[in-house]
Amino acid sequence: MYTTEFLDLPPLRSAGGTVQLPGSKSISNRVLLLAALSAGTTRIRDLLDSDDTRVMLDALRTLGCGVEAEDAHTVRVTGLGGQAPRSPAKLFLGNAGTAMRPLTAALAVLGGDFELSGVPRMHERPIADLVDALRQIGCSVEYLGQEGYPPLRIGRPRARQVQQPIRVRGDVSSQFLTALLLAAPLLSTESDVVFEVTGTLISRPYIEITLNLLERFGVQVRREGWSRFTVPAASAYRTPGEIHVEADASSASYFIALGAIAATAERPVHIQGVGAASIQGDIRFVDAARLMGAQVESGPNDLRVSRGAWPLRSIDLDCIAIPDAAMTLAVLALFADGPSTLRNIGSWRVKETDRIAAMAQELRRLGARVEEGADLLRVHPLAEEAWRAACIRTYDDHRMAMCFSLAAFNPAAQPVRILDPKCVAKTFPDYFETLFQVVEAQPGAIPVLCIDGPTASGKGTLAAALAERLGYHWLDSGALYRLTALAAQRAGLAVEEAQTEAIAALARALDVEFQGERVLLRGEDVSADLRTEAIGRDASKVAAWPAVRAALLQLQRDFRRLPGLVADGRDMGTVVFPDATLKVFLTASAEQRAERRYKQLISKGVSTTLDAVLADLQARDARDMSRSAAPLKPADDALLLDNSTLTVEASVERVLAWWQERLPFGDCLAAS
C-alpha cells in the first residue's frame, strides 16, 4: 500500500491482464458480526483485510469473542452464543459504517455499558433513524455529542416492546435496516419481529446481501416487497461452520471501467472472484457498463471486459441499485459522446464524505463541466484539448482515490495526482499495486528522477529517501556493478581486462531484485556481501569497461516501471535516462566524502585510516572521470547540489522542491 502524501499517475494508454479482487467489505463485516453472535466457531475464508474489517475484529475481541487469524484472509471466530458481551467497553470504529451501525443495534439489544466512537467524519454521519427505531424497542441509546450523530453510549434496555411493527426510515441509508435485521434474532421473543420501512428504501441490493447471509446463519426473513420485513419468532443464529467471502463487486467496478476504456478483446481485463453468481447488488454495474458500450463476458465467478463502443455512450441512469459503484460511472462519463446523468444518488451525501459535492469538485479540476442536484449528478464529457493535469483531493474516501485513477487514461496525456492514496486501505489496500500490474503507460511517460555523483557523495541515501517519499521504485545502479563484481568472484574470474567479455556475459544474466534495502541475487540476500571494500573496488573497475556498461544498460532501463523511478549512479542522467524529468548531480569535496566514508567503515569495524580512504576515493574519482565509456560528469541539464554542509533531510527537501517545479500540478499540496 502506498503511504505517501501523494501518488502521481503518469499518462496511461492500455490495459489487460488478470485481477484478483479482495473480499467484499459489506459481506466481510456482516459475516464477522454474524459469526460473533452465533454459538460455536466459524471459519471465514477470503476475508477482506482492510481498515474497516480490522476495526470490526478489534471490536469483537474487546467484546469477548475468540478471534484467531490463520492468515491475512482466513479467520476463525468463536461467537458469544447467547453469552453477554464483555462490558464495560469502549469501541473505536474508525469511519466504518458497516461496523458502527450493526454493532450499535446488536449491543443495544443485548445491553451493557458501551461507548461507540469513530473518526471525526463518522461523527458527521447521521444515525438518528437507527437510534429512533432502537428506542421503539426499548433500547437505551444516548448521544455523547451532537444529537443524531455518533459517538454513542449504550446501556441496558428497558422491557422490550416488539408487539407492534418497528418503523425505520429507508431513504437515508440501508445500513439502518440491515443493522436492525441483524439484531432482531437476539430479541429471543415468542412473537414475530416486524420492521416497516417508511419512505423509499435505497440501496436495496445491500438488503439482499443481508437477507442472504442471515439465511446462511439459520434465520429466514419474510419480506413483503421492500416495505415490510418479518423475523420469525424464536429465531436463533447457527454457524455454518465455514463460509467464503466473495470478492468485492464495488471494487470490480474500477476494473470493469478500466476494460471499457483501455482493453482489447484479444487482451481483456480478466476479473476473478466475482461474476454472474454474485449476491452483491453492485454486480449490476456490469449492466451500466454495457449500456455505455463495454464488452463484458460474465462467468459464474469471473468477468472479461474490453472496449466496445468508442467514445463511450452517454447514459441517463437511475443508480439506486448501485450507489457505491455509480461513482465510477461519473469518471467514465468523461469519455462519453454526450452528457451523462446519474440519478437517485442522494445517499452519496452521507457516505465517507459528501460524495456528490466532492465528485463534482474534483471532476471540475480535470476541466469538466458538472451539474449537481440534491440526488443527481450530470457530467459533460471532455474534448481532448480540454483535459487538465489535476491534483485530486480524496477527502479520506477510498472510492474517490480509486475512481479518479481512471482519469490517467485521458487522451491529452495529462498526469493525475492522487492526494492521500493510503485512504484506499478502507477496502482495497493494494489497489494501486493491482492497477499497475495490468496497465501500460504512454511511451516515455513514466517519470524518472536521476541522482548522479561521485563515490561517497551520499547519492544512494538521498535516492532511497526520495523514492520513499514519492512512492517510486529505486534503482541503485552501483549495486548492479557490485553484483557483477560479486558474480565474477563467485565464478572464479579475476577482475581484470582480460576477462571483460566473460564478466559482461555474467552482467547480462544477472537475476537481481531490490526489496527495500535488501538486494537479492538469484533469490539470495547478498546485501552484506556487496558492502565490502573489496567488492567496491572491483565494481569501480568493471564499471569502466564499455562491454559491461553495455550489458547492464537495458537491465537498468527495465527498472523504469509504474508509477516512477529514482535512479542513482554515475551516468543515470547522461546515458541511461537522458529524458529524465529531473537530473541532480550531487557532490561534496573529496575531503568531506572521505570523512563520511571513514566514519562508516570504522562503525563497521573495518580497520583503515582517513588518508587511505581519501587516496582510494581520489583514485576512484580519477578512474570514473577518465573512463572512455560514460565518464563521470553532470548532464548538461542537471541541477548541481553540493551537500557538504546539508543534512540528508535538507537535501531531500531541496530536491523535492525542484521536482514539484517540474510537474504541472502547481502548489496543490499547500492548497489541499
Side-chain angles (χ1 to χ4, degrees), residues 250-485:
S250 300
S251 296
S253 72
Y254 314 115
F255 293 95
I256 295 169
L258 179 64
I261 294 171
T264 64
E266 294 73 26
R267 189 169 181 263
V269 173
H270 183 200
I271 302 164
Q272 295 182 332
V274 68
S278 173
I279 66 172
Q280 299 169 75
D282 274 339
I283 196 63
R284 298 177 194 176
F285 183 87
V286 169
D287 299 330
R290 284 175 172 146
L291 283 175
M292 297 189 79
Q295 297 292 320
V296 185
E297 298 177 17
S298 179
N301 202 41
D302 72 322
L303 302 164
R304 294 176 183 270
V305 190
S306 59
R307 180 194 281 191
W310 195 258
L312 295 172
R313 294 189 288 265
S314 61
I315 55 173
D316 189 323
L317 189 67
D318 184 333
C319 299
I320 195 168
I322 52 170
D324 288 335
M327 292 177 69
T328 312
L329 295 175
V331 179
L332 273 186
L334 298 174
F335 301 91
D337 58 6
S340 294
T341 304
L342 310 180
R343 302 184 186 275
N344 258 328
I345 55 172
S347 63
W348 285 17
R349 298 281 188 193
V350 294
K351 295 288 187 174
E352 284 79 348
T353 187
D354 180 341
R355 285 175 170 169
I356 293 180
M359 183 65 71
Q361 175 66 24
E362 303 312 307
L363 289 169
R364 290 178 184 126
R365 292 186 199 276
L366 292 166
R369 183 158 65 95
V370 184
E371 303 160 44
E372 60 175 293
D375 66 348
L376 67 81
L377 198 69
R378 182 171 295 111
V379 182
H380 295 257
L382 278 169
E384 179 174 341
E385 64 276 7
W387 283 88
R388 297 198 298 256
C391 185
I392 302 297
R393 291 180 61 201
T394 51
Y395 307 85
D396 195 27
D397 186 340
H398 55 134
R399 301 206 184 281
M400 292 291 293
M402 293 186 278
C403 284
F404 277 93
S405 66
L406 300 171
F409 284 92
N410 67 82
Q414 294 284 0
V416 175
R417 171 170 288 179
I418 305 294
L419 296 179
D420 189 29
K422 67 180 178 296
C423 67
V424 300
K426 184 175 177 68
T427 53
F428 200 159
D430 297 330
Y431 170 75
F432 288 106
E433 291 87 343
T434 303
L435 177 70
F436 294 149
Q437 289 173 6
V438 292
V439 300
E440 292 183 4
Q442 297 277 6
I446 298 176
V448 178
L449 196 168
C450 294
I451 307 291
D452 286 317
T455 298
S457 58
K459 55 188 179 294
T461 301
L462 176 59
L466 290 166
E468 183 177 0
R469 289 283 295 274
L470 294 169
Y472 284 1
H473 301 284
W474 171 36
L475 168 60
D476 175 3
S477 68
L480 298 182
Y481 292 101
R482 290 192 290 273
L483 282 163
T484 301

Side-chain angles (χ1 to χ4, degrees), residues 28-266:
S28 291
N29 268 352
R30 283 168 171 80
V31 167
L32 285 173
L33 182 58
L34 288 167
L37 298 176
S38 302
T41 299
T42 306
R43 190 184 201 190
I44 306 169
R45 291 185 175 274
D46 302 320
L47 184 74
L48 173 65
D49 180 19
S50 74
D51 286 352
D52 279 21
T53 53
R54 290 185 200 115
V55 297
M56 177 65 94
L57 286 165
D58 287 344
L60 298 184
R61 292 186 183 99
T62 300
L63 294 170
C65 298
V67 177
E68 179 186 353
E70 294 184 12
D71 56 49
H73 303 287
T74 305
V75 175
R76 294 168 61 89
V77 177
T78 301
L80 296 172
Q83 297 181 0
R86 187 181 294 146
S87 174
K90 292 184 177 182
L91 306 180
F92 176 79
L93 301 173
N95 199 13
T98 56
M100 175 65 78
R101 277 75 179 266
L103 278 170
T104 294
L107 295 177
V109 167
L110 290 170
D113 181 5
F114 307 104
E115 287 187 17
L116 278 62
S117 64
V119 300
R121 175 57 187 171
M122 176 59 78
H123 298 170
E124 298 172 349
R125 299 176 67 176
I127 201 169
D129 296 314
L130 175 59
V131 171
D132 290 346
L134 290 169
R135 287 173 173 172
Q136 292 177 52
I137 300 173
C139 295
S140 173
V141 186
E142 301 174 16
Y143 299 111
L144 296 176
Q146 183 180 358
E147 191 79 6
Y149 299 86
L152 305 172
R153 173 175 288 120
I154 295 173
R156 299 193 179 280
R158 304 182 300 277
R160 296 190 180 101
Q161 304 168 18
V162 294
Q163 292 75 23
Q164 300 298 318
I166 301 155
R167 297 170 65 82
V168 57
R169 282 183 61 184
D171 56 354
V172 176
S173 174
S174 66
Q175 288 180 2
F176 300 155
L177 178 58
T178 280
L180 292 166
L181 290 170
L182 294 174
L186 306 177
L187 292 166
S188 301
T189 62
E190 296 181 359
S191 59
D192 294 346
V193 180
V194 179
F195 298 101
E196 289 186 349
V197 178
T198 62
T200 301
L201 180 62
I202 62 174
S203 306
R204 295 172 182 175
Y206 287 101
I207 300 302
E208 291 180 334
I209 293 175
T210 302
L211 299 178
N212 183 291
L213 294 175
L214 283 166
E215 184 175 348
R216 294 286 302 275
F217 280 82
V219 176
Q220 294 268 1
V221 179
R222 302 190 301 271
R223 72 178 178 91
E224 300 171 31
W226 294 103
S227 60
R228 188 178 176 92
F229 297 81
T230 301
V231 178
S235 292
Y237 287 128
R238 298 190 304 274
T239 175
E242 182 168 295
I243 190 168
H244 290 255
V245 176
E246 69 177 52
D248 187 48
S250 300
S251 296
S253 72
Y254 314 115
F255 293 95
I256 295 169
L258 179 64
I261 294 171
T264 64
E266 294 73 26

Side-chain angles (χ1 to χ4, degrees), residues 458-535:
K459 55 188 179 294
T461 301
L462 176 59
L466 290 166
E468 183 177 0
R469 289 283 295 274
L470 294 169
Y472 284 1
H473 301 284
W474 171 36
L475 168 60
D476 175 3
S477 68
L480 298 182
Y481 292 101
R482 290 192 290 273
L483 282 163
T484 301
L486 179 63
Q489 181 189 84
R490 291 184 171 185
L493 296 174
V495 179
E496 54 190 37
E497 291 201 40
Q499 301 291 349
T500 297
E501 292 304 323
I503 293 175
L506 290 176
R508 279 190 290 272
L510 284 178
D511 178 6
V512 59
E513 182 180 357
F514 292 103
Q515 293 183 352
E517 296 184 357
R518 300 170 67 228
V519 182
L520 306 183
L521 180 63
R522 293 190 296 276
E524 177 191 352
D525 186 351
V526 295
S527 308
D529 296 326
L530 298 184
R531 298 190 187 105
T532 66
E533 283 297 289
I535 289 296

Side-chain angles (χ1 to χ4, degrees), residues 566-588:
V566 179
D568 78 77
R570 291 169 176 77
D571 63 349
M572 294 296 99
T574 54
V575 175
V576 183
F577 300 109
D579 63 338
T581 308
L582 175 64
K583 304 169 188 176
V584 175
F585 193 84
L586 186 68
T587 189

